[in-house]
Amino acid sequence: MNTAIEDDSTLTDRYQTTVPASVRRALKLKRRDRIHYTIRDNGEVVLSRAHNESSQDPVMVSFLAFLERDLREHPESIQPVTASTFAEAERLTSGIEVDLDEALTEDDDDA
């Protein structure tokens, strides 16, 4: 059975606090790490290690931001995916075999 970790800290005049050592150890936090706070409806706060944004693909992040912006600015462009859409995708990819378990070549690793 896991034992809950409980600890206290004090807010300074500038609303800053030190994360207690027991919490830093439990979350494996180091200097300059980011912390994520989730505040639940009942006032409970969940403190967790923030996701490392630098591990995200910057091209994908930019592309998704572009898509989000475009969808917000042009909602009239949103079209449903239909059976004919799938049929066209199947037509365009027919005869192409993909082995998802195949190892990448050196050239593919750099892409």
Side-chain angles (χ1 to χ4, degrees), residues 7-69:
D7 214 331
D8 296 317
S9 64
T10 303
L11 287 176
T12 67
D13 291 337
R14 295 181 56 200
Y15 297 100
Q16 296 175 333
T17 189
T18 299
V19 177
S22 59
V23 175
R24 291 193 313 263
R25 280 191 301 272
L27 296 178
K28 297 182 172 82
L29 293 171
K30 298 186 261 349
R31 289 181 191 340
R32 311 297 298 164
D33 279 348
R34 295 176 40 84
I35 298 171
H36 178 79
Y37 299 87
T38 303
I39 302 173
R40 297 186 175 162
D41 290 339
N42 64 0
E44 186 177 63
V45 177
V46 178
L47 178 100
S48 57
R49 173 188 272 276
H51 296 291
N52 184 356
E53 294 176 15
S54 66
S55 67
Q56 295 179 352
D57 182 343
V59 174
M60 186 57 72
V61 170
S62 297
F63 177 68
L64 292 174
F66 162 77
L67 283 180
E68 179 182 16
R69 192 170 49 254

Side-chain angles (χ1 to χ4, degrees), residues 71-84:
L71 290 171
R72 288 182 193 273
E73 293 173 4
H74 305 286
E76 71 280 1
S77 299
I78 300 172
Q79 299 292 319
V81 176
T82 62
S84 64

Side-chain angles (χ1 to χ4, degrees), residues 80-90:
V81 176
T82 62
S84 64
T85 306
F86 282 111
E88 179 65 3
E90 286 179 352

